[in-house]
Amino acid sequence: MTILAIESSCDDTSAAVIGDGLLLSNVIASQRVHENYGGVVPELASRAHQENIVPVVDEALRQAGVKKEDLNAIAFTRGPGLLGSLLVGTSFAKGLAISLGIPLIDVNHLHGHVLSHFIKREPDDETPEFPFICLLISGGNSQIVLAHSEGEMEILGKTIDDAAGEAFDKCAKVMGLPYPGGPHIDRLAAEGNPERFKFAKPHIPGLDYSFSGLKTSFLYTLRDNLKADPEFIEKNKADLAASLQKTIIDILLDKLDKAVREHPVRHLAIGGGVSANSGVRKAVEEFCTKRGIRAWIPPRVFTTDNAAMVAQAALFKLKAGDFCPLDAPPYSRVEI
């Protein structure tokens, strides 16, 4: 079975092809136009998707060595995401499915991140064992998910305000770093002292997250020190980045530890854009090693928004005969 998948939930246009259970191609076109605005501009994102989607799909088919007539199904991200961006991918997928007379499969973007660990490039590639816990961390989501099966997922905890990636980007912005700020924080943190500055950590009951207090604490630290030294940020960028990164990791792992104790599992995964962070990857590896848990750290190409994970999630739905009606609209907000 051969599936073409389309991802257009935010500011990356991506298409991928899975054939006989193996990933044959995964093409991503990133939008640099948003760098000038310090964040994603929805209208510009949807326009860029319209420009990119045809060449991206064409390249994905070419790399896979597949003709559109060979496809058995078309998959697309239905949500959550920016509604204008989703409409571009949804409309294109529906039109192509109608023209080819093949089924349509809708995919929850968050499911895609969790199931990205099942993407195979070789037949003998290993995959996680159900049930497993996934720490899903990105610019828009911070969730602890218990995956009972490929189609049954339970949110154990989630952010009640900012997401982890949002905290990285907002703090990076006030430091004068380019957008997206997360990768720049990661780079600077490798050169800094993570114990130099202490930032507030939340005390939220249960397994939910909060990062707004950390962001406020970070801003107060900058404000108070800039009064005495206008060059404070420039002189201390590396230490600020390292301390910020350590605090975010501590917050993430504190709740993850509670989740593992309440829901013992043998496998633990991370996913989403923040799972590309070097400090997060190392900390999760060490966390799992200490507890005798198998850690699943995704290749960086599968951490950001990509169609390969959409294709993999669609493959599970195709096997179950779970198809999407042609009148199904995209949705901007939805949980697992």
Side-chain angles (χ1 to χ4, degrees):
M1 303 298 289
T2 306
I3 301 173
L4 169 68
I6 296 167
E7 155 62 27
S8 67
S9 63
C10 191
D11 61 336
D12 287 333
T13 312
S14 182
V17 177
I18 278 185
D20 295 327
L22 299 180
L23 181 65
L24 303 180
S25 66
N26 183 42
V27 178
I28 303 172
S30 297
Q31 302 174 6
R32 302 194 56 135
V33 63
H34 307 286
E35 295 175 3
N36 298 327
Y37 301 94
V40 177
V41 181
E43 178 62 26
L44 295 180
S46 57
R47 291 179 185 178
H49 283 303
Q50 289 178 318
E51 296 176 359
N52 293 336
I53 194 163
V54 171
V56 165
V57 168
D58 184 65
E59 180 63 16
L61 291 171
R62 188 193 67 79
Q63 289 186 15
V66 171
K67 297 179 180 179
K68 62 180 183 296
E69 292 79 13
D70 299 328
L71 297 172
N72 299 108
I74 306 294
F76 69 101
T77 298
R78 188 176 170 192
L82 301 176
L83 195 55
S85 295
L86 291 166
L87 277 168
V88 176
T90 300
S91 300
F92 186 92
K94 288 180 178 180
L96 188 56
I98 291 172
S99 69
L100 296 174
I102 57 178
L104 192 65
I105 303 174
D106 63 323
V107 171
N108 181 316
H109 179 80
L110 304 180
H111 277 202
H113 278 302
V114 175
L115 298 174
S116 64
H117 300 276
F118 291 85
I119 298 170
K120 288 188 174 185
R121 289 182 275 197
E122 299 293 338
D124 57 351
D125 285 349
E126 294 185 288
T127 58
E129 172 188 291
F130 290 108
F132 67 90
I133 284 177
C134 181
L135 177 61
L136 179 54
I137 37 178
S138 66
N141 297 278
S142 290
Q143 300 180 346
I144 301 176
V145 179
L146 178 59
H148 298 282
S149 68
E150 60 268 16
E152 183 184 359
M153 300 184 193
E154 175 185 359
I155 296 178
L156 303 179
K158 60 183 179 180
T159 182
I160 62 173
D161 43 57
D162 290 351
E166 191 176 0
F168 272 124
D169 286 341
K170 287 182 177 178
C171 291
K173 186 174 183 178
V174 298
M175 288 174 62
L177 298 175
Y179 175 84
H184 295 284
I185 294 290
D186 191 19
R187 173 180 55 80
L188 287 167
E191 306 167 4
N193 175 10
E195 304 296 336
R196 173 79 184 284
F197 299 101
K198 301 298 181 184
F199 303 119
K201 296 179 182 179
H203 298 281
I204 307 298
L207 297 176
D208 286 338
Y209 284 115
S210 171
F211 291 97
S212 62
L214 163 64
K215 180 185 65 179
T216 302
S217 175
F218 186 84
L219 292 175
Y220 282 163
T221 297
L222 297 188
R223 183 199 64 181
D224 294 343
N225 284 279
L226 283 170
K227 291 178 180 178
D229 182 5
E231 301 296 321
F232 172 76
I233 294 178
E234 191 61 36
K235 292 177 181 177
N236 298 280
K237 273 187 177 179
D239 289 346
L240 286 166
S243 300
L244 173 67
Q245 181 165 287
K246 181 182 184 300
T247 305
I248 290 178
I249 291 172
D250 288 347
I251 293 171
L252 290 171
L253 294 190
D254 176 65
K255 296 292 187 175
L256 193 59
D257 180 60
K258 293 180 181 178
V260 168
R261 285 189 277 111
E262 293 178 12
H263 304 272
V265 291
R266 296 174 55 191
H267 293 227
L268 187 148
I270 58 174
V274 179
S275 65
N277 179 280
S278 301
V280 170
R281 295 165 80 90
K282 180 180 178 182
V284 170
E285 285 273 17
E286 293 174 350
F287 175 92
C288 290
T289 298
K290 289 179 181 178
R291 291 160 180 77
I293 299 173
R294 172 85 182 262
W296 293 88
I297 313 295
R300 281 185 167 86
V301 69
F302 298 143
T303 59
T304 55
D305 296 343
N306 64 92
M309 67 182 192
V310 178
Q312 182 58 52
L315 181 60
F316 286 125
K317 298 187 77 170
L318 177 63
K319 292 177 179 178
D322 186 0
F323 301 115
C324 174
L326 288 171
D327 61 352
Y331 42 74
S332 59
R333 293 182 179 275
V334 70
E335 293 189 344
I336 286 288

